């Protein structure tokens, strides 16, 4: 039997806990998945009826960087969903085998044209019912001029007292900015 790729239902906006039941086939053997309680005190897991493979749905790691340029904190206005048209720090998904710090530096360059060097972790942000865990790093600009690039409508440098609090894309954006300002 040919393995069948696991895919969530297209356009699904439900929480991870609700959505995991919509995966139907095992990535190893293609057998049907069912929910089973494997250990008391833990959530039910998806288990293959044929080979017994346990399909753990873990979080996806996002890495971002907060840095200053031109007297302000650099934010990007998103050109994609989720959060289209709203402000956040540059960031994106960490690739398999990539260091989170390297992903924050790569994503910043891809979205702003500015090369940064990560100087330390600011915080790790997670939220109930959401798959991504967001690692946010403090960084310093090394080279480049801010320009909107991949997935970005605009790049702005905001003085600390004029951050666009009412137009931020995600709770993690506000939480990380508050932590950054407290340093």
């Amino acid at each position: 039997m040919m393995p069948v790729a696991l895919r969530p239902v297209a356009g699904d906006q439900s929480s991870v806990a609700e959505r995991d039941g919509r995966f139907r086939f095992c990535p190893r053997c293609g057998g049907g998945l069912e929910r089973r309680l494997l250990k008391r005190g833990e959530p039910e897991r998806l288990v293959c009826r044929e080979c017994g493979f346990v399909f753990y749905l873990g979080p996806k790691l996002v890495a971002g960087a907060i840095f200053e340029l031109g007297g302000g904190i650099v934010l990007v206005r998103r050109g994609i969903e989720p959060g289209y048209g709203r402000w956040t720090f540059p960031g994106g998904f960490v690739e398999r085998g990539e260091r989170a710090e390297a992903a924050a530096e790569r994503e910043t360059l891809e979205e702003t044209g500015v090369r940064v060097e990560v100087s330390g972790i600011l915080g790790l942000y997670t939220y109930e019912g959401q798959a991504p865990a967001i690692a946010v790093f403090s960084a310093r600009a090394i080279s480049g001029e801010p320009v909107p690039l991949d997935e970005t409508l605009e790049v702005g440098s905001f003085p600390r007292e004029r951050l666009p609090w009412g137009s931020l894309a995600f709770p993690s954006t506000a939480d990380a900015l508050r932590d950054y300002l407290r340093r």
Side-chain angles (χ1 to χ4, degrees), residues 33-160:
L33 293 173
E34 65 183 9
R35 295 173 67 83
R36 287 190 206 156
L37 183 62
L38 300 178
K39 187 176 178 184
R40 198 173 76 209
E42 290 188 358
E44 289 182 332
R45 308 287 183 191
L46 293 174
V47 180
C48 179
R49 287 187 210 107
E50 304 297 320
C51 72
F53 173 77
V54 180
F55 181 49
Y56 290 96
L57 289 171
K60 184 78 171 127
L61 184 61
V62 168
I66 297 179
F67 66 101
E68 296 187 42
L69 195 61
I73 296 172
V74 174
L75 297 176
V76 296
R77 197 159 62 90
R78 289 180 56 86
I80 60 169
E81 291 293 353
Y84 182 89
R86 300 183 74 76
W87 294 96
T88 189
F89 45 80
F93 289 110
V94 177
E95 299 296 335
R96 187 179 191 106
E98 182 179 37
R99 290 176 47 251
E101 296 89 340
E105 292 169 351
R106 174 183 53 77
E107 287 285 347
T108 299
L109 181 61
E110 288 175 4
E111 294 180 3
T112 69
V114 177
R115 186 173 305 280
V116 298
E117 180 178 64
V118 164
S119 57
I121 188 152
L122 180 64
L124 180 65
Y125 304 89
T126 60
Y127 302 91
E128 186 80 28
Q130 294 185 10
I134 302 99
V136 182
F137 297 91
S138 296
R140 67 178 183 85
I142 296 174
S143 64
E145 293 296 320
V147 60
L149 296 171
D150 189 39
E151 303 174 350
T152 304
L153 296 172
E154 185 179 353
V155 179
S157 179
F158 295 88
R160 291 168 178 249

